Structure formats: structure tokens, C-alpha cells
Amino acid sequence: MWNRSIMSSAIEGYFPKFFGKVIKNGTPIIGMVIITVLQSLLALMTISPSLSKQFTILVNLAVVTNIIPYILSMGALKTMQIQEKVPTRGRRFTNTVAVIAAIYSLYALYTAGSIALVGGSIVTFAGWTLYGFVSHRFDVNKSLSDVN
């Protein structure tokens, strides 16, 4: 499942093109190998004498790297609702749920611990940096001015 997501993201331009290349049966083998190597390196970075402790570190790291985008999305929710002209009544309920979800998400970040928070932050910031290298492709205003 995740390999198809990465492959389609590469086709859209969010990831380098080699993630979108497939072999005869449609498997994005190059992307799968690269992701597996990166995940293995991440696992080696968290190595500990106890497999249980290593698993806990990896789970907490996954929590942090997955929750940060959710918190950012919840922060942008009101702006998106206004741009899409969502009725006020619908906005109130959704924003209330988003605030509750944000509080829970912040609590989850807190309980993940400082090691996971630092590691997850570094991974997230690295992802934002990599996105910076391709983000110019998604500037809608630039694309429209190039056409005219």
C-alpha cells in the first residue's frame, strides 16, 4: 500500500521520479529498496540491548512524525473553511472537534518523550527541506502566468 502511495506521489512530482519507476509487473522496486534501506538505517539508529525498548522508540518516533502534519492541518482548518465558504454553523462544530483533536495530539507528543520528539522533529524538518526542493513545481500562480 505505502509503495503505491510513494509511487503516485513521485508521478505527481512530490518525490523524485525514480520512486515512480516500475518493473514489468508494476512493482516500484527501486522505491521499495530505497525506503527499506532508509527504514533499516532508522532502526539501526535506535538500536538498544532490549528489543522492546527499540520498538518503543520506533513507535514513539512514528507517533511524532505522523502527528505533526495533523496539528498543522488543524491549525489551517479555519482558513480553509473560510476560503471554501463553509457555513458558520458547520465551521463551529468542525473547529470544536479540531481543538479537541489538537489537545489530544499535543498530549500524545508530550507522552512520546523527548528523544522521540527530537528525532521526529529532525525527520519532519528534513522532509520539509526536501519538499522545498520540489515545491516550486506546485506554484499555481507561476504556472498560470507561464501559460499566459
Side-chain angles (χ1 to χ4, degrees):
M1 176 81 168
W2 60 267
N3 58 352
R4 294 289 177 188
S5 174
I6 292 172
M7 183 180 74
S8 60
S9 293
I11 291 168
E12 291 293 322
Y14 289 104
F15 287 124
K17 292 186 187 299
F18 59 82
F19 281 108
K21 293 186 180 182
V22 296
I23 59 175
K24 290 180 189 177
N25 67 357
T27 305
I29 196 75
I30 295 171
M32 290 173 65
V33 169
I34 291 170
I35 294 298
T36 301
V37 167
L38 291 174
Q39 288 175 336
S40 297
L41 289 173
L42 187 61
L44 288 173
M45 288 172 49
T46 62
I47 202 162
S48 71
S50 165
L51 188 57
S52 173
K53 185 175 179 182
Q54 183 178 7
F55 179 76
T56 302
I57 292 170
L58 289 173
V59 167
N60 287 337
L61 183 60
V63 166
V64 172
T65 57
N66 284 295
I67 285 183
I68 291 173
Y70 286 119
I71 292 173
L72 291 171
S73 298
M74 288 179 261
L77 180 62
K78 189 170 184 177
T79 302
M80 291 186 290
Q81 291 172 330
I82 292 169
Q83 284 182 333
E84 294 299 319
K85 297 175 179 53
V86 175
T88 305
R89 181 178 168 178
R91 277 190 269 163
R92 282 190 194 127
F93 176 75
T94 306
N95 290 336
T96 301
V97 171
V99 167
I100 293 168
I103 292 169
Y104 173 77
S105 296
L106 291 170
Y107 174 73
L109 285 177
Y110 172 75
T111 60
S114 60
I115 292 173
L117 196 53
V118 169
S121 297
I122 290 170
V123 170
T124 301
F125 297 149
W128 290 345
T129 303
L130 293 174
Y131 177 76
F133 290 115
V134 297
S135 63
H136 67 279
R137 300 177 191 169
F138 310 112
D139 187 359
V140 176
N141 294 329
K142 181 181 176 193
S143 298
L144 292 176
S145 65
D146 289 345
V147 173
N148 295 329

